[in-house]
Amino acid sequence: MRHSQTLIPTLKEVPNDAEIKSHQLLVRGGYIRQTASGVYSFLPLGQKVLKNVEKIVREEMEKAGAVEMLMPALQPSDLWKETGRWYNFGSELMRLNDRHEREFALGATHEEVITSLIRDEVKSYKRLPLSLYQIQTKFRDEKRPRFGLLRGREFVMKDAYTFHDSNESLDEAYDKMFQAYSNIFKRCGLNFRAVIADSGAMGGKDTHEFMVLSDIGEDIIAYSDSSDFAANIEMAPVLDNYQQSEEHMQAKELVDTPNYKSMEEVSQFLSLPLEKGIKSLLFKIDDQYVLVLARGDHEINDIKLKNIYNATNIELASEEETKEILGADVGSIGPIDVKNVDVIADYALKYMRNAYCGANQDDKHFVNVNPDKDFHVSDYHDVRFIQEGDISPDGNGTIQFAKGIEVGHVFKLGQFYAEKLGASYLDEQGKQQTMTMGCYGIGISRTLAAIVEQYHDDNGITWPASITPYQAHIVTINIKNEEQNSVSEQLYKQLQGQGISVLYDDRKERPGVKFADSDLIGLPVRLTVGKRANEGYVECKIRATGEQFDIHVSEVNEKIASILK
Ligand code: ATP
Ligand code: MG
């Protein structure tokens, strides 16, 4: 492609609203332009890289046995009402009316459309399993669209859906998709982890998120330093594996803690370490109050509490409720002599001796408190967040934290949608059965941005060979120089003839401008045609490493092929 014939509007300045590198570089490199908040145009270079990601996704989907189709973005509200999501998806769902005042949504996801389609078209077990996917524009009215392509309101997603007559069949499809996702993100050159995720309210079970490791990620991943264990921090289990304190149990004693409220303040005032403290928090779990205990240096994880109680709602009791139920301010509550509420504790408490805790009297604590001797615990559970340095839940290695960008999500949906929408089939005995489903998403445009987050330097993007919009960049120093011009033209044809894709900077610009643009755009190999054109030599520069050398035109093809490998 000749630069003079395409549209690559590069910018010297960093756009004001672009906080992160991928957003800055994709705008500056002339890949994308914002049309409205969270809504982007993909310019010719942007479209090329997007297509390259899609190509990898398509190849791996087909390999996993999924078949491509295309569903409408415009979806009637009736379908969303059947699953109830018209009411509980919230304002993220873009809604509109047609000229007859009929309600529609712009597809944020396609469970409703595909399940109703399969309900109508598939009636027998003989047609199952079925695995279908599409690559399509999705709409979500995100509260905070930001970070360019990472969180848009209109974005490109690959979504796949599988339909089954048994859980075993779903498990098999899930494993295949999981493998396909690993292949996809590997081929995109990404450093990523598949992490155990929360299945949330939709009643599914297994679910994994694929996270690209990055400091700008919004999720925290807990991973083992010596195995492949990785989980979203909310989900990582903590092993019941603590050292039993050997201290001799002493008699509990009431002490004054005037105005010292937080664990840290009390610990300092009593000159006792945080890990000798018992943290007590009163929760309201659905309609029940529960006093939850953890060690002072640990944080209580309410998602775990929610799962223990199989609850829909969980929140901290208010200050007023706490005072009414336990008779003291939030900073002075504890488990001793508590009668009217359930008390549960983290496993770590079983191993504590001579601890301190709130006394359920304002400004007072107990010291030398011993669980099970001084107070009753109805159940011990894993209720805390995992921490860096904890033993990995699989027993191998220690836990470290990293931040991640969620680029993909695989999910065993179970029968939620099939039940709501009545997707059933006749089994071998002619009995009506509900289908079992899985769903699998990849943010294609988000993946593109995640690649740039991992592939850039101070001067611009450094595309991996699998994604780059063109493989080589020809830069002619002086287009008016006869010799340079003809060598450039010859090189352009020669490379294209060998199937190497080329961007040819044939503009009448100063060399400095062309070099800066070339670094910014970030193609893997640059061939500069300059002074030595008359000898048939050009300068070859490898973008990612900065390595630079002269090479004869006759050897260029072979060299590029080896670099791109
Ligand atoms: P997030 O927690 O980041 O909002 P999500 O859990 O809502 O993501 P899914 O509903 O699982 O996302 O959608 C599948 C994939 O689509 C995600 O893994 C992500 O890569 C992508 N995605 C979701 N929301 C956006 C968005 N606003 N902009 C770009 N990509 C998105
Ligand atoms: Mg979301």
Side-chain angles (χ1 to χ4, degrees), residues 339-364:
K339 302 224 160 51
N340 38 359
V341 294
D342 224 14
V343 179
I344 66 165
D346 186 64
Y347 288 136
L349 260 77
K350 286 196 279 185
Y351 307 87
M352 294 175 82
R353 290 274 167 89
N354 304 323
Y356 58 92
C357 65
N360 292 328
Q361 300 174 44
D362 286 347
D363 298 328
K364 292 207 189 292

Side-chain angles (χ1 to χ4, degrees), residues 203-220:
K205 31 180 203 157
D206 284 358
T207 170
H208 286 85
E209 289 164 349
F210 285 76
M211 296 277 189
V212 169
L213 303 186
S214 163
D215 284 342
I216 57 122
E218 293 174 324
D219 296 88
I220 297 179

Side-chain angles (χ1 to χ4, degrees), residues 140 142 149-152 155 157 406-409 443 446:
R140 291 184 187 181
E142 297 276 355
L149 299 183
L150 280 184
R151 190 169 292 287
F155 57 96
M157 195 201 285
E406 181 198 323
V407 285
H409 195 175
R446 183 184 282 185

